[in-house]
Amino acid sequence: MRSIEVEVRLESGLHARPAATFVRSAASFSSTIRLENVTLAGPEADAKSVVGVMSAGVEKGHVVRIVADGADEDRAVDSLRRLLAGRDGPSRGVDSTGRLGRIDGTPAAPGIAVGPVWQYRPRGAGGVALVTVSSAGEAEMRIRKAADTAAAQLQSLATRLREMSHHGDAEILEAQALMAVDPAIVDEAVALARRGAGPVEAVLTAAEASAELLAALDDALLAARAADVRDVATRVARIIGGAHVELPTEPSVVVADELAPSLLAEMPPGLVLGVALAGGSPTAHVAILARSLGIPAVVAAPALLDAVRGAATVAIDGETGEISVDPDPAELRALADREAVREARRRAAAALRGRLAATADGQRIRLLANIRSSSDAPGALEAGAEGVGLFRTEYLFLRRQSPPTESEQIIEYRRAMEAFGPVRSVVIRLADIGGDKSMPFLGRPDEPNPFLGVRAIRLADESRELLLTQLRAIWRAAGLAGVTPHVMAPMVATIADAEMLRELRDAARTQVAAAGTACPERMVTGVMIEVPSAAILAPELARLVDFFSIGTNDLTQYVLAADRGNPSLARLQDALHPAVLRTIAAVVAGADEAGIPVAVCGELAGDPAGAAVLVGLGVDELSAEARSLDGIRAALAGVTRGELRALATWALTATDAETVRAGANDLLDRGERAKANEVRSTSASREARARVKRSAG
Ligand code: PEP
Ligand code: MG
């Protein structure tokens, strides 16, 4: 138990907004926290209850006692003390109006972003609501008006992007503006409405017909346009329903409580300088997406929305999790200095790109990329990826009224396979639908616990055809690309799941072969190990498949029973927790027995400290966002196999993730320094040799 007394320096004490800020901050800790107004000798209040805190009547100058009891009591007390101490605290803290100047979140995607605040408010913008009208004439009027509005919105965004020289993004929006009023879609929608369809349904159906037409053409570029048609139709449909379809109008830092990955994917990249979220966690899919798009992000900052109220600009540091609201010039200079140091480190790491990843004493580790679509392939190749360890195919299914057709999928997979060629494999993961990536077209009821629900391979019972279509597309794409296909299933939990995967794979091949299409002999088949039962069953599962790929994001949430999207549980989401590491060690042992390789494709693989521990545990391959590969390669190059093994052995018996992280970073820092010294001494001895030569000559 920790208890402190502090004098409150907030101008307006703990009333209304500052009280809410205080309570949000208190709620982000697991400890029980009580607050007592010592000056008024008032009763104790629950610091996580806004009513309780406000009724304590705390004013500026009052002394309050904070008592915290629990695992994070020290951090809780320190953080709340800083908050109440206002400007005199170690950071800028709460200003005299009760607004927070600098707050802490959890780092989610590296980089620094400074820009105007653009707050995303989700009301009405998420889905598409069906609308009833009284006559076909009204339906027609609403369709045409919404199409014009959508076109005008898209055109004005495009103009703005052109002014900022983002010509590529502008072109896409200009094309979309044309599609919004394309007679082939609008007239067809009107015709459907005249035959009795509602306006939203009419637009979506008409657009789907056009999209399918485009997708059926054997041309990757046109397939991408099909996705645009669907995007535009969704926009028009939302406008008909009266929902906002807002996007930033200038390059901004997007601030929100929560943000669906599909929404971030929908925003033109040039307009999103950074993302700051009150909710979320570093392994939530929106954070993973931000990392892969190179957008700096900070998540799990409970005080964020209060802090930015009325603010014009915000600066975020995606590496430390700091958020500065209306930063002053000194803060901006400090951020720029920090970024310059990091940039130098990034450049040094990028210099190793031409080399295959290995430890200082030559143990090779395959570095692979995680991708979301074939358009990520060039970036992955440029980053030196030796293949793809995780193709998150569900991104092809997002933001759609119906699943992608087999032909659309063939185009996508074939493009990725051809980009990497026959030697560098592309592991295609069957769509991981469910969890935080729901697909409305499946028409499934909402589940109370979607991460524990009918997700991924569990959809096979009710949506067998969805998986068969995907597997047929993979067989066919591989046949056309002339490569051996690699596939894996997410959320495998039982032996029966693995057997079903093999059965579906073989059934899909039989269907493709029966149609007379050329088809490879075999499909390299793996399972993701991300559910504890699969880890426990590793020795048996290993006899059924060709490889394992450990999904540490889900494995951590399931081993520690902590929802990966819940910001209050951020401290339980570090995959370096010894309980997770012991699970991984057991999986490696199970795989070794059967002689199959083990990859890790969760976010831990892209974190240098994580990569070090994983290699020490005996993992063969690491698959991460392309942008992380330089950092891993550089980190591993500075340490030996023996050092990594010793690190991993120690980590298995450590008490918590923080200790493991500190130990791993310490080893990597020493490795980096040793490497730098080696470079300096080699260049010094080169110079010395040159001097000797010159004097001899
Ligand atoms: C994981 O769970 O670690 C993983 C790689 O899959 P996803 O993050 O897409 O759930
Ligand atoms: Mg997963």
Side-chain angles (χ1 to χ4, degrees):
M1 167 148 21
R2 269 272 315 269
S3 162
I4 53 140
E5 289 190 3
V6 57
E7 185 184 341
V8 176
R9 309 293 287 267
L10 307 176
E11 209 53 49
S12 46
L14 278 182
H15 294 138
R17 195 193 308 158
T21 304
F22 179 88
V23 167
R24 267 199 208 98
S25 179
S28 68
F29 298 101
S30 62
S31 300
T32 54
I33 309 174
R34 322 259 333 146
L35 170 107
E36 188 186 333
N37 189 332
V38 177
T39 307
L40 296 184
E44 273 196 347
D46 180 355
K48 298 182 183 179
S49 150
V50 76
V51 175
V53 170
M54 283 192 332
S55 54
V58 178
E59 291 180 1
K60 185 178 181 197
H62 282 180
V63 172
V64 298
R65 179 176 301 127
I66 301 171
V67 183
D69 189 4
D72 51 5
E73 58 195 31
D74 288 332
R75 283 195 301 122
V77 163
D78 291 340
S79 159
L80 296 174
R81 180 182 50 75
R82 276 203 305 276
L83 209 152
L84 295 172
R87 279 183 174 279
D88 297 338
S91 70
R92 272 210 295 151
V94 180
D95 72 15
S96 58
T97 63
R99 196 161 60 72
L100 288 160
R102 198 165 105 196
I103 54 170
D104 289 326
T106 305
I112 283 170
V114 183
V117 174
W118 184 81
Q119 193 166 343
Y120 164 69
R121 293 184 178 82
R123 189 145 25 115
V128 175
L130 292 183
V131 168
T132 46
V133 286
S134 52
S135 66
E138 188 195 339
E140 171 168 359
M141 191 270 293
R142 289 181 79 154
I143 290 169
R144 293 200 187 279
K145 198 157 164 245
D148 289 345
T149 308
Q153 280 177 351
L154 290 161
Q155 187 52 54
S156 96
L157 274 172
T159 309
R160 188 91 193 97
L161 284 168
R162 281 221 182 269
E163 282 163 13
M164 291 161 2
S165 304
H166 291 296
H167 298 294
D169 290 339
E171 249 168 47
I172 294 172
L173 294 184
E174 278 160 0
Q176 288 196 347
L178 289 175
M179 288 171 191
V181 285
D182 190 317
I185 299 171
V186 178
D187 292 349
E188 174 61 14
V190 167
L192 288 170
R194 286 194 187 133
R195 291 203 293 275
V200 166
E201 189 194 343
V203 165
L204 296 179
T205 313
E208 191 52 36
S210 293
E212 271 172 19
L213 218 65
L214 290 174
L217 304 172
D218 189 9
D219 180 313
L221 283 174
L222 289 172
R225 296 288 78 77
D228 283 341
V229 168
R230 292 187 176 104
D231 270 4
V232 172
T234 308
R235 175 178 283 267
V236 175
R238 285 192 196 145
I239 294 172
I240 294 173
H244 298 305
V245 189
E246 280 184 17
L247 289 175
T249 50
E250 58 179 331
S252 306
V253 176
V254 173
V255 170
D257 189 10
E258 296 276 358
L259 197 65
S262 57
L263 261 160
L264 180 59
E266 196 173 334
M267 294 183 180
L271 292 178
V272 185
L273 300 173
V275 172
L277 301 182
S281 84
T283 52
H285 283 105
V286 66
I288 296 174
L289 180 60
R291 273 196 291 282
S292 93
L293 293 172
I295 298 175
V298 175
V299 298
L304 176 69
L305 299 186
D306 274 334
V308 298
R309 198 166 298 145
T313 57
V314 67
I316 63 169
D317 183 339
E319 222 151 292
T320 62
E322 284 167 53
I323 301 175
S324 293
V325 180
D326 285 334
D328 57 32
E331 276 172 314
L332 291 176
R333 268 196 308 279
L335 278 174
D337 290 348
R338 228 187 272 170
E339 186 55 8
V341 172
R342 290 180 195 158
E343 182 52 33
R345 183 179 286 191
R346 278 198 289 272
R347 268 205 299 272
L352 299 180
R353 254 187 212 175
R355 298 196 208 159
L356 294 175
T359 57
D361 56 340
Q363 183 194 341
R364 280 269 297 115
I365 296 105
R366 276 186 86 212
L367 288 195
L368 308 158
N370 291 352
I371 65 171
R372 283 174 296 117
S373 85
S374 62
S375 56
D376 293 336
L381 285 163
E382 200 185 314
E386 295 172 59
V388 169
L390 168 62
F391 184 159
R392 285 187 166 95
T393 57
E394 60 278 5
Y395 277 89
L396 309 174
F397 292 63
L398 288 178
R399 295 183 299 138
R400 301 188 45 132
Q401 313 306 323
S402 58
T405 60
E406 190 172 323
S407 335
E408 276 177 88
Q409 294 189 54
I410 293 173
I411 293 168
E412 257 301 297
Y413 306 150
R414 181 181 175 184
R415 276 175 74 184
M417 289 167 179
E418 285 177 347
F420 281 90
V423 179
R424 286 172 295 195
S425 48
V426 173
V427 176
I428 298 183
R429 172 172 82 178
L430 296 181
D432 184 5
I433 298 173
D436 59 354
K437 289 176 289 196
S438 69
M439 313 277 152
F441 58 74
L442 286 178
R444 303 206 71 261
D446 283 347
E447 297 177 311
N449 292 303
F451 276 118
L452 300 180
V454 183
R455 176 182 173 193
I457 190 78
R458 298 173 177 185
L459 277 165
D461 286 339
E462 49 189 83
S463 302
R464 183 178 162 88
E465 191 46 39
L466 193 84
L467 295 177
L468 274 176
T469 305
Q470 192 169 17
L471 283 160
R472 282 197 306 271
I474 298 170
W475 279 117
R476 288 201 160 107
L480 291 164
V483 304
T484 303
H486 289 60
V487 77
M488 67 180 178
M491 282 295 284
V492 165
T494 61
I495 301 293
D497 285 346
E499 282 168 345
M500 179 174 57
L501 169 67
R502 287 160 42 128
E503 185 265 310
L504 283 165
R505 172 199 67 190
D506 297 344
R509 190 178 188 284
T510 307
Q511 290 172 357
V512 171
T517 316
C519 199
E521 274 310 307
R522 68 185 284 260
M523 186 180 279
V524 180
T525 307
V527 288
M528 288 193 72
I529 305 288
E530 50 184 357
V531 176
S533 58
I536 294 165
L537 295 169
E540 289 77 14
L541 283 171
R543 289 198 281 276
L544 290 173
V545 293
D546 302 309
F547 67 93
F548 284 160
S549 185
I550 303 179
T552 48
N553 308 332
D554 278 311
L555 188 61
T556 307
Q557 86 162 336
Y558 296 129
V559 165
L560 290 161
D563 180 342
R564 67 196 260 190
N566 187 334
S568 305
L569 300 176
R571 71 188 186 292
L572 291 178
Q573 283 149 4
D574 191 333
L576 280 179
H577 193 287
V580 180
L581 299 180
R582 288 188 200 183
T583 314
I584 295 174
V587 173
V588 171
D592 282 352
E593 242 175 75
I596 64 165
V598 180
V600 173
C601 62
E603 296 307 291
L604 188 66
D607 164 7
V613 176
L614 290 170
V615 173
L617 286 174
V619 161
D620 306 291
E621 300 173 357
L622 299 170
S623 189
E625 299 303 325
R627 284 167 210 273
S628 311
L629 299 186
D630 285 345
I632 314 173
R633 196 182 292 108
L636 296 177
V639 284
T640 63
R641 184 190 336 203
E643 285 170 327
L644 293 177
R645 275 202 208 120
L647 171 71
T649 309
W650 163 79
L652 291 174
T653 59
T655 48
D656 52 47
E658 288 83 7
T659 311
V660 175
R661 186 168 293 285
N665 281 329
D666 188 46
L667 174 67
L668 295 181
D669 285 349
R670 277 186 280 131
E672 200 182 335
R673 278 198 301 276
K675 194 104 197 120
N677 283 339
E678 190 188 298
V679 170
R680 265 200 295 279
S681 67
T682 337
S683 65
S685 61
R686 233 193 337 262
E687 264 172 41
R689 276 200 303 276
R691 267 202 307 276
V692 172
K693 246 183 167 171
R694 275 199 300 275
S695 58

